[in-house]
Amino acid sequence: MKNSISVLGGTLENLLDHGKPADQGDPAYPQMAHMLYQTRRLSDNLMQLLALYKEVGKPTYPFEPNTVPVRELVQQVAGQARVLLESKQIVLELEFDGDLLWTFDEDLVIGVLAHAVNNAVRYTRDRIRLTIAERDGMLELAVADNGTGFPPSMLEAGTLVGQGVNFLTNSSGLGLFFASEVARMHKRRQAVGAIRLENGGPLGGGRFVLTLP
Amino acid sequence: MTTTYITASGAPSADIADVDWAEKRYLIVDDFVGIRQLLRESLRNIGAKHIDQASSGGEAMTLLLRTHYDVVLCDFNLGEGKNGQQVLEEARVRNLMIPSSVWLMVSAEKSVESVMGAAEHQPDAYVIKPITEGVLLTRLNRVWHKKQVFREIDAAYIEKDYLRAAKLCDAQVAQHKVHEIDLMRLKASLLLKAGEPDKARTVYERLLEEREYNWARTGLGRIRLANGDHEAARQMFQGVIAENRFYIDAYDQLAGALTLLGRHEDACGVLEKAAKLSPNSVPRQRSLGNTALRLGNIPLAEHAFRKCIAIGEYSIARTVDAYLGMARVCGMKGDIKEALRLLAAAQRDFPGDVVQLRSKITEGLVYHESGDFRRARKSGDELEALLQRESKRPQTATCIEMATLLFAVGVKDAPVELLCHVIRNNHDNPVLVEEVQKIFDKARMGDEGMEYIAGARREANEIMNKGVLLWKTGKLEEAVEWMRDARVRLPDNMRILFNSAQMLINHMQLHGYDEALMVEANGVLMHVDELAAGQQRFAQLVEQLQMLIPGRAETPEAIDAEIDALRGVAEAPAA
């Protein structure tokens, strides 16, 4: 299944990427862009499920943090989002310290950020900003948009995550639950990672924040 | 320095300036045609021109034999036949990859099985699907840079000059902060290999002050284990598992600690759990089979050996132990025919005198355990005849197994000779001496055995003392010659081997470098390493030996200078 979705997503991306500018007037173009968005969602959710629940109730993920240059993290997240954003004419703004190194499980963090960007595509008008900076000894990674902000139910889900909320009852719950699990796996001395959702970020819309120790 | 990019395409591109990815040779291995096409598309987008594809492990091997690839993108799950890890292992063992080539292991998901390759056959990186160009290029560049940083260290490692390799790690950390953790991790394992557990412990403890790395905690446990503090080691491994239930290495180590504590049942339980989590390891299934066999748990032993044979079929790590163990299982179940069939298969598939001998011993044990004493005796007689024809003796463990069988079937002189050989070659190993005494006791030869053991130890001591005396009294040439003879008579005696190597080195230190002596000393040390790896004296002697090579740097500062010089050649100075 994972292979099939990969092929579907990859093919759509190639079609959109190599499409001539004239194609963008074609009514099929935005439909294809939307298909790519949906495929990404499907792929992310499946990856999250596989990572969390490969065997029922038994996470079998080999967690291994490594030192990663923040610049390379940004390259990979932005690279994954490029075609989708271009096809939807959304601008991605990046703000980060190009010399910063941090220790985390790279695949997991890319997964969380890529999903957050994909999610922001749904809420934004035309801009998304990825900000990564060190704050009080923690790495703060935030994805903000200029949409109308998260609906109250999602903000609530954001605060309830990790407190035993039944994430499967909420459509956005799986992604949040996955993100909070990823955050909590990261520990350093006494500090533990966390996530939060806010409204009224730098672009005036919603803001997803992942902090890593 | 904070950078802000506001672009429609949205990405700072990866630096490709210093690596020419376009001209390299690529191999894509995936059983799914759609994925192969996508990967080829991604590679073309980063400029690649020479791309080959394989749809199975077998096909990949054929191509790898024909061409040296610079980059291999290999899926872990390849359907029937070899999996990606097995392809990698075989390619490494058969030297089909040049040191600079890059192996990226691709999998649809990150699972324990897909990222737990044999420690010595790790890919350069794991990548999860879907693979986008950004991820691909970033990971390729990273691996390439890392290879440059580790190149010198790897070279010293291959020469088994572990102490020099550890010093090189320190020299590199200063310049490559991003690889600090990996370099320190490697440094600790090098220090362990060099028999410097205290220094390795310091490295691990410093790393653990920063973060709870499973491998560092497990490394500390391993040091405790080597120091004989089995209970403390057990608790450390247990702690790692409590924190991360999927850190497989800790299970294997825990089983080892429990075995040393004499808790065989518990060890067996831990191995069983580990084998459930990650079943595709030949050594793990072999340990499980042997442990279960020892406990008399025939169904478990059978299951483990069967699995071991099945996964070994496509693996270079395939082992004759599984066939011999399975034959024992069949013997205990009374299926003599199947046992003999397995022994025949073992001799056919693993040619060599050692396997023939071990098969013969197993055959005797199978007959003996199934109650066919007449045939068991016949096997014993054949072994006895073999020992008379052949003057070279097998490894210690095989000698002991053979002596045990021979006593059991009523042969007397041959096992005594074997056990004396074992003692002569291990005269200062009290654990082994005790084990041999027990075998004599069991054969109702307790008192005689004690005398045999004392005689063999005396003999070894005399040979050793004569050599050392010659050396200490300045008769170096004679001492070297004496030790040469001693090595023929006691080929596996660790102290004789070490002293012999020491004298050869001393000879070169006094009289200058000599190619023949260098080769001889190196051969002696490699034999020691084969008998028992991780000896401190081994590492020290290898280092002394390497320093004798003309033009080799000696101090950490000199190594730094050497590295700077190398860098100066590789990179033009900034204008």
Side-chain angles (χ1 to χ4, degrees):
Chain A
M1 185 153 63
K2 190 83 218 258
N3 276 334
S4 307
I5 297 180
S6 285
V7 172
L8 196 61
T11 311
L12 273 171
E13 211 172 291
N14 285 336
L15 287 171
L16 285 164
D17 200 20
H18 298 157
K20 297 177 209 77
D23 292 347
Q24 292 182 16
D26 192 325
Y29 191 86
Q31 281 177 16
M32 245 159 62
H34 191 67
M35 270 165 71
L36 179 59
Y37 160 78
Q38 289 292 355
T39 315
R40 276 287 163 79
R41 248 174 79 79
L42 214 55
S43 163
D44 285 355
N45 283 345
L46 187 62
M47 185 202 76
Q48 292 159 358
L49 277 172
L50 286 172
L52 288 170
Y53 283 87
K54 186 161 169 278
E55 291 166 55
V56 178
K58 231 205 246 171
T60 57
Y61 187 87
F63 178 72
E64 189 113 11
N66 280 306
T67 310
V68 180
V70 165
R71 182 187 169 79
E72 292 182 6
L73 175 72
V74 173
Q75 280 166 7
Q76 295 174 75
V77 173
Q80 272 193 26
R82 184 180 63 89
V83 175
L84 177 66
L85 296 175
E86 280 174 0
S87 68
K88 295 208 158 240
Q89 287 163 3
I90 296 167
V91 174
L92 178 64
E93 306 173 0
L94 305 163
E95 197 178 321
F96 62 97
D97 178 346
D99 299 324
L100 200 56
L101 300 175
W102 210 264
T103 301
F104 49 82
D105 187 308
E106 188 180 22
D107 291 318
L108 286 180
V109 172
I110 289 176
V112 168
L113 291 181
H115 189 68
V117 170
N118 204 44
N119 205 46
V121 166
R122 185 159 112 202
Y123 291 94
T124 189
R125 286 202 316 276
D126 54 6
R127 284 163 72 199
I128 296 174
R129 179 182 292 186
L130 170 63
T131 313
I132 303 180
E134 187 178 350
R135 191 153 300 155
D136 305 326
M138 303 280 276
L139 188 68
E140 196 177 272
L141 309 101
V143 176
D145 63 66
N146 65 347
T148 51
F150 294 110
S153 67
M154 255 188 91
L155 284 178
E156 201 185 337
T159 52
L160 283 177
V161 150
Q163 296 174 27
V165 67
N166 181 359
F167 67 90
L168 287 175
T169 59
N170 185 309
S171 68
S172 54
L174 175 60
L176 284 176
F177 180 76
F178 178 76
S180 79
E181 284 297 298
V182 168
R184 287 196 312 148
M185 277 188 218
H186 289 85
K187 290 176 195 144
R188 186 190 191 190
R189 300 195 187 125
Q190 304 307 317
V192 183
I195 60 158
R196 63 176 193 272
L197 295 180
E198 306 167 345
N199 276 340
L203 303 184
R207 187 167 183 255
F208 165 86
V209 186
L210 169 68
T211 53
L212 297 174
Chain B
M1 171 201 76
T2 300
T3 324
T4 309
Y5 290 84
I6 303 181
T7 64
S9 61
S13 59
D15 303 319
I16 47 169
D18 45 358
V19 194
D20 184 6
W21 294 113
E23 285 308 320
K24 305 229 179 275
R25 296 204 150 268
Y26 296 81
L27 175 63
I28 298 169
V29 189
D30 200 306
D31 56 336
F32 209 99
V33 62
I35 297 285
R36 289 202 301 275
Q37 280 164 356
L38 276 184
L39 286 175
R40 196 182 51 195
E41 190 74 18
S42 294
L43 288 174
R44 288 219 174 119
N45 288 341
I46 65 170
K49 294 176 203 131
H50 320 289
I51 308 169
D52 286 338
Q53 300 180 39
S55 62
S56 72
E59 210 178 306
M61 284 313 305
T62 313
L63 289 170
L64 283 161
L65 277 163
R66 205 182 299 151
T67 311
H68 272 307
Y69 291 98
D70 300 297
V71 180
V72 179
L73 294 173
C74 181
D75 195 60
F76 177 77
N77 284 308
L78 293 172
E80 282 287 298
K82 283 181 206 296
N83 66 28
Q85 182 64 38
Q86 288 165 336
V87 178
L88 169 61
E89 284 175 24
E90 188 162 345
R92 287 265 161 86
V93 171
R94 295 170 75 172
N95 277 321
L96 303 179
M97 302 284 292
I98 44 176
S100 65
S101 38
V102 172
W103 191 291
L104 294 189
M105 194 71 84
V106 181
S107 62
E109 53 184 298
K110 202 167 180 177
S111 66
V112 176
E113 301 94 84
S114 65
V115 300
M116 285 284 169
E120 66 273 30
H121 301 300
Q122 295 281 354
D124 295 301
Y126 292 100
V127 193
I128 310 180
K129 290 184 209 173
I131 306 177
T132 54
E133 285 148 47
V135 170
L136 187 62
L137 198 52
T138 302
R139 302 285 167 102
L140 280 175
N141 279 324
R142 188 185 297 165
V143 168
W144 191 84
H145 284 292
K146 195 171 171 184
K147 276 190 186 280
Q148 308 311 305
V149 172
F150 282 77
R151 195 175 50 196
E152 283 281 295
I153 302 167
D154 289 342
Y157 181 92
I158 289 164
E159 289 178 358
K160 295 191 193 278
D161 192 350
Y162 302 130
L163 291 172
R164 179 183 153 84
K167 282 174 199 150
L168 285 165
C169 287
D170 273 334
Q172 292 287 33
V173 163
Q175 288 143 19
H176 303 281
K177 207 78 186 139
V178 65
H179 297 304
E180 183 182 8
I181 307 293
D182 285 336
L183 284 164
M184 285 298 106
R185 180 180 184 175
L186 180 59
K187 182 185 169 186
S189 69
L190 286 164
L191 289 169
L192 276 181
K193 273 192 172 293
E196 296 274 15
D198 287 338
K199 288 184 186 161
R201 198 183 59 214
T202 313
V203 176
Y204 283 137
E205 279 169 352
R206 229 198 56 219
L207 286 161
L208 283 167
E209 278 169 26
E210 268 301 296
R211 267 171 216 271
E212 266 302 312
Y213 295 104
N214 296 320
W215 43 264
R217 180 74 55 206
T218 309
L220 281 183
R222 212 176 275 197
I223 292 167
R224 290 272 166 89
L225 200 63
N227 287 344
D229 199 348
H230 305 153
E231 175 55 24
R234 184 195 68 77
Q235 285 175 19
M236 298 198 88
F237 299 137
Q238 202 95 59
V240 172
I241 294 171
E243 187 63 32
N244 185 340
R245 288 190 294 136
F246 307 103
Y247 194 66
I248 282 296
D249 189 34
Y251 286 81
D252 294 334
Q253 299 298 325
L254 177 60
L258 288 165
T259 303
L260 288 168
L261 286 164
R263 292 168 59 179
H264 298 291
E265 291 274 356
D266 293 333
C268 193
V270 169
L271 281 172
E272 211 181 339
K273 240 185 242 163
K276 270 206 188 100
L277 281 173
S278 179
N280 293 325
S281 153
V282 171
R284 181 171 308 119
Q285 295 287 356
R286 181 177 55 202
S287 301
L288 178 58
N290 285 331
T291 310
L293 193 62
R294 178 194 206 132
L295 289 170
N297 185 341
I298 305 301
L300 184 58
E302 179 171 358
H303 188 266
F305 285 132
R306 272 197 203 289
K307 179 81 189 170
C308 196
I309 291 170
I311 49 180
E313 194 178 345
Y314 299 108
S315 162
I316 199 86
R318 186 166 183 248
T319 160
V320 72
D321 293 36
Y323 290 80
L324 301 181
M326 194 63 208
R328 293 279 303 276
V329 167
C330 291
M332 288 174 182
K333 286 169 73 185
D335 188 351
I336 307 286
K337 238 173 106 181
E338 179 64 8
L340 295 180
R341 197 193 62 75
L342 281 159
L343 290 176
Q347 292 175 67
R348 185 192 64 221
D349 294 356
F350 300 86
D353 296 343
V354 179
V355 170
Q356 228 173 11
L357 180 66
R358 290 184 62 198
S359 303
K360 190 64 40 213
I361 300 169
T362 308
E363 184 190 285
L365 287 169
V366 165
Y367 284 134
H368 188 67
E369 277 158 4
S370 67
D372 188 342
F373 299 117
R374 198 179 56 80
R375 283 214 172 81
R377 172 73 207 214
K378 194 164 160 275
S379 299
D381 290 343
E382 280 171 41
L383 278 175
E384 195 182 8
L386 193 94
L387 287 171
Q388 276 165 3
R389 279 201 308 278
E390 178 64 59
S391 62
K392 204 170 170 292
R393 294 290 169 254
Q395 281 186 323
T396 300
T398 310
C399 280
I400 287 184
E401 206 176 35
M402 184 156 40
T404 310
L405 170 72
L406 288 171
F407 273 140
V409 300
V411 179
K412 207 179 149 196
D413 291 345
V416 167
E417 191 267 321
L418 274 173
L419 293 177
C420 285
H421 170 84
V422 166
I423 295 295
R424 269 198 305 276
N425 282 296
N426 299 277
H427 73 286
D428 56 355
N429 180 343
V431 179
L432 201 67
V433 168
E434 201 178 315
E435 194 180 336
V436 169
Q437 181 65 53
K438 273 192 192 142
I439 297 172
F440 277 121
D441 291 346
K442 212 177 153 203
R444 298 171 199 274
M445 292 178 65
D447 291 344
E448 287 165 79
M450 215 182 288
E451 276 174 39
Y452 283 127
I453 289 173
R457 296 182 80 176
R458 201 164 45 236
E459 192 187 331
N461 267 320
E462 278 164 8
I463 294 175
M464 172 86 71
N465 291 342
K466 172 92 188 280
V468 173
L469 188 70
L470 284 170
W471 184 30
K472 294 270 143 98
T473 52
K475 295 172 185 153
L476 186 54
E477 294 285 349
E478 282 172 61
V480 165
E481 192 55 45
W482 175 266
M483 294 310 273
R484 247 177 225 141
D485 290 340
R487 291 203 320 261
V488 176
R489 290 167 65 189
L490 291 83
D492 298 336
N493 188 303
M494 206 66 93
R495 283 192 48 202
I496 289 199
L497 292 168
F498 273 137
N499 282 338
S500 185
Q502 181 80 70
M503 288 177 205
L504 289 164
I505 288 169
N506 193 221
H507 191 286
M508 283 188 278
Q509 285 164 341
L510 293 172
H511 305 296
Y513 179 77
D514 181 317
E515 183 82 39
L517 292 183
M518 170 60 82
V519 169
E520 186 181 352
N522 193 58
V524 173
L525 287 173
M526 290 312 123
H527 183 51
V528 168
D529 192 48
E530 211 179 294
L531 290 172
Q535 307 254 339
Q536 190 171 12
R537 207 167 159 203
F538 169 82
Q540 290 164 347
L541 290 174
V542 166
E543 199 182 30
Q544 285 182 28
L545 201 59
Q546 297 288 342
M547 275 184 206
L548 289 167
I549 297 174
R552 176 56 64 93
E554 293 174 22
T555 59
E557 294 75 35
I559 290 171
D560 286 351
E562 202 182 316
I563 290 169
D564 287 342
L566 280 170
R567 189 165 292 115
V569 175
E571 290 167 24

